[in-house]
Every structure is written in C-alpha cells, then in structure tokens.
Amino acid sequence: MLHKKKGLFFAFSAFSFAASIALPAHASIVASIKPVGFIASAIADGVTPVDVLLPDGASEHDYSLRPSDAKRLKFADLVVWVGPSMEAFMSKSVAELPAKKNLAIADIQGVNALLMSGDDDDDHHHDGQGSEKSEDHDASAHHHDHGQFNMHLWMSPEIARKTAVAIHEKLLELMPQDKAKLDANLQHFEAELAATDKRIGAQLAPVRNKGYFVFHDAYTYFEHYYGLTPTGHFTVNPEIQPGAQRLHQIRTQLVEHKAVCVFAEPQFRPAVIDAVARGTQVRKGTLDPLGTDISLSKDSYVKFLSQLSSQYATCLKGA
C-alpha cells in the first residue's frame, strides 16, 4: 500500500511539474516604465498581458535591477523600453535577448529624426493639427550615442504613435492568429490619439505664452509639440540638487515675474522649490511624467497625455 502511495505521489509530482512548464508564469510583454506600458497595453488589449518593470514611485534615473526583474525580462515574449541611455539598469539583461524579443523605442525607424537634445531651444512647435515639426539631424547624428539627446520619448505623441506601430508589428510576428484584434487595437489607438491631440491643443492654446519652471528636463517633447514656453528647469538629473547659483538665477526670474508657475513631481518633492518660490506670486503645481496614478488599460496613454495637459493648464491659468 505504501509503495502504491509513493507511486501516486511521484506521478502527481511529475504532472504538477509538467503543468508548471506548460503554464507561463510571466507577462508576455514587459515594459520598462509605466508610460511605455500604456502604449503597449493599447495594442495588446484583449490579446496578451502587459507588465511594468519599474514599481510606482521609483525613478528610471536611479533604479537597480533585482534578480526577480532580470528573470521577468529573460522569460518575456517581448521587452519594450526606451533604450540604454534612459534605462541603463536594463542594458545587460536586454542585451542577452534575441532581437525579436527586444524593442527599444530609440531604435524604431523614424524616431532618430525626432530626437532633441536636452538643451534644444530651437523652434519645434506643434501646429495643433497632428504634425510635429522637427528638424532632421544630419547623417552623422545617426552614429552618435543617444546619450546626447533627451530620452523622455514617451512625452512625444508622434513617437508614441510610431512605438504603437512597432509593437503591433512585433506582436503580429509572435501572434499572427490575433491579427484582426491587433489591427483593431492599433486603429483605435491612432484614432483616440488624434482626437486627444486636438483637445489638448485647444486646452493649452491660451497658456502658450506663459512662462514656468519644471523640476527636471523631462517634458521637452510634450512642450515643443504643443508650443509651450518653459522658462527653464531646475535640474537635468533629478537625483542631483541644483546649485546655489542656479537657484539664485531662478529666484531672480520669479521675482521679475518671468514665470507664473513652478512644477514639482510626485516622486521628487524637493524643498528647494518651496524655498525658491517663497515670497513670490508664483503658483506651485505638480506634473507627473510617469502617470503614477493611472492603471494600464486600452486608453491609458491618452489618459496620461490628458492628465499632463490638465496639470499644465490648471497652474498656468491660475484656476
């Protein structure tokens, strides 16, 4: 009887092991950060799950990959990220993936020509009709490291659309049987993005000439696309506090009424913003560059853009 029980036990164990292999314990798509997950979720809706690597409240600028994160990347069917200049913590793990499982937004065809440097002050405004005016870089720029560019690429509606198309293409290769659903998802995303673009253009038009300071240089693509006129930013890297001379320059501009708002961020609430604005008429607002309180869904990316627009408009209008 004991021998029979042992046989049943081993048979059950073997069955459990086989079942554990058959059932994937990971999301098919792993996105580096939430806004990238927003775009992926729009295309993968109803087809395959999407998981976000970076926890809420963490910064892509200083995150360290955990062993469990490396495992999630290894077993993902598709990893979508901005690129090594943004998520340096992922570089080693992603380098081990085959090309069909790796989608870096910075490497998508057509994105290179839209890249801007962090200090780009040229006129790259948006006409409100769905076209982003951006000066093409010459051929030599294609050989430069992306580290010279502002890599907050999810802030550009045009780059987001190109990303959605690229994700659609990757998923078609992985799941050709779901072509009809994937095609419908891409069509829905592009239509919602176009409609949201028009609404945001109208919402931000009255505040285009109002100056403001942002905490760090994360919003360049959004600002240029919609014609906003930032006075400047406190820091390029949010991990590094601005120096005394920089703070004095900002304080002087606030006193001289060259800016009506200063914006903090949910994950970075530096005391320097309160200190520099004290005693002035400047309003304080918050911009969320990662959409921290938005859940992944079919329409989460357009919700993210709309929320960002409202955060700008509320402070700049003084509502």
Side-chain angles (χ1 to χ4, degrees):
M1 185 71 178
L2 183 61
H3 179 75
K4 188 175 181 182
K5 283 185 176 178
K6 279 186 176 179
L8 287 171
F9 172 77
F10 286 123
F12 179 75
S13 298
F15 174 80
S16 299
F17 178 71
S20 69
I21 294 175
L23 295 173
H26 62 276
S28 290
I29 301 175
V30 173
S32 58
I33 56 175
K34 221 170 182 184
V36 174
F38 295 158
I39 303 168
S41 293
I43 306 306
D45 182 69
V47 176
T48 191
V50 177
D51 193 16
V52 174
L53 198 65
L54 208 70
D56 281 343
S59 166
E60 71 278 11
H61 294 278
D62 68 341
Y63 188 69
S64 296
L65 207 64
R66 302 169 298 185
S68 59
D69 295 329
K71 188 175 181 180
R72 287 157 73 192
L73 292 172
K74 181 178 179 180
F75 290 106
D77 288 329
L78 178 63
V79 173
V80 188
W81 61 317
V82 176
S85 293
M86 174 56 69
E87 307 101 332
F89 62 89
M90 290 175 59
S91 297
K92 184 178 177 182
S93 292
V94 175
E96 297 171 357
L97 298 174
K100 67 179 182 180
K101 292 189 173 188
N102 177 9
L103 179 60
I105 296 173
D107 293 334
I108 293 172
Q109 186 175 2
V111 167
N112 200 298
L114 297 172
L115 296 182
M116 299 178 185
S117 74
D119 299 319
D120 191 350
D121 291 321
D122 294 335
D123 185 20
H124 291 270
H125 292 337
H126 171 53
D127 63 7
Q129 299 299 319
S131 62
E132 187 169 15
K133 297 183 175 69
S134 179
E135 190 176 299
D136 285 354
H137 297 281
D138 61 29
S140 64
H142 291 255
H143 303 293
H144 292 170
D145 181 72
H146 285 150
Q148 68 180 303
F149 297 115
N150 187 311
M151 297 306 288
H152 299 84
L153 304 184
W154 63 92
M155 289 289 179
S156 163
E158 180 60 16
I159 293 176
R161 191 191 67 79
K162 290 181 181 296
T163 301
V165 170
I167 292 171
H168 172 264
E169 290 176 359
K170 287 279 191 181
L171 293 183
L172 276 182
E173 294 176 18
L174 286 167
M175 305 157 191
Q177 70 277 11
D178 293 308
K179 183 180 187 303
K181 179 63 174 168
L182 291 169
D183 288 352
N185 285 349
L186 178 59
Q187 186 177 12
H188 175 84
F189 178 79
E190 291 182 321
E192 287 299 305
L193 186 61
T196 302
D197 177 33
K198 287 186 178 180
R199 287 195 298 271
I200 292 176
Q203 183 180 32
L204 295 180
V207 297
R208 282 181 177 170
N209 62 343
K210 292 184 181 292
Y212 59 89
F213 281 95
V214 293
F215 178 55
H216 91 284
D217 192 19
Y219 310 93
T220 301
Y221 292 95
F222 186 89
E223 291 167 341
H224 282 247
Y225 192 85
Y226 290 108
L228 297 175
T229 51
T231 309
H233 49 267
F234 281 64
T235 179
V236 173
N237 184 347
E239 301 305 319
I240 302 172
Q241 291 288 347
Q245 184 176 357
R246 176 64 181 147
L247 292 177
H248 177 72
Q249 291 171 346
I250 293 171
R251 170 78 180 176
T252 300
Q253 289 177 304
L254 295 181
V255 170
E256 293 174 355
H257 308 295
K258 292 183 178 177
V260 298
C261 272
V262 290
F263 290 101
E265 297 176 12
Q267 62 272 50
F268 299 108
R269 294 187 177 277
V272 292
I273 287 183
D274 292 329
V276 100
R278 192 174 295 127
T280 71
Q281 298 298 310
V282 71
R283 296 183 288 273
K284 286 181 288 185
T286 300
L287 297 174
D288 184 358
L290 294 175
T292 308
D293 61 348
I294 299 174
S295 301
L296 296 187
S297 71
K298 189 175 187 175
D299 294 315
S300 51
Y301 183 72
V302 294
K303 288 178 183 176
F304 165 69
L305 289 182
S306 297
Q307 175 176 281
L308 196 62
S309 176
S310 294
Q311 289 169 339
Y312 271 106
T314 298
C315 191
L316 294 174
K317 287 178 181 176

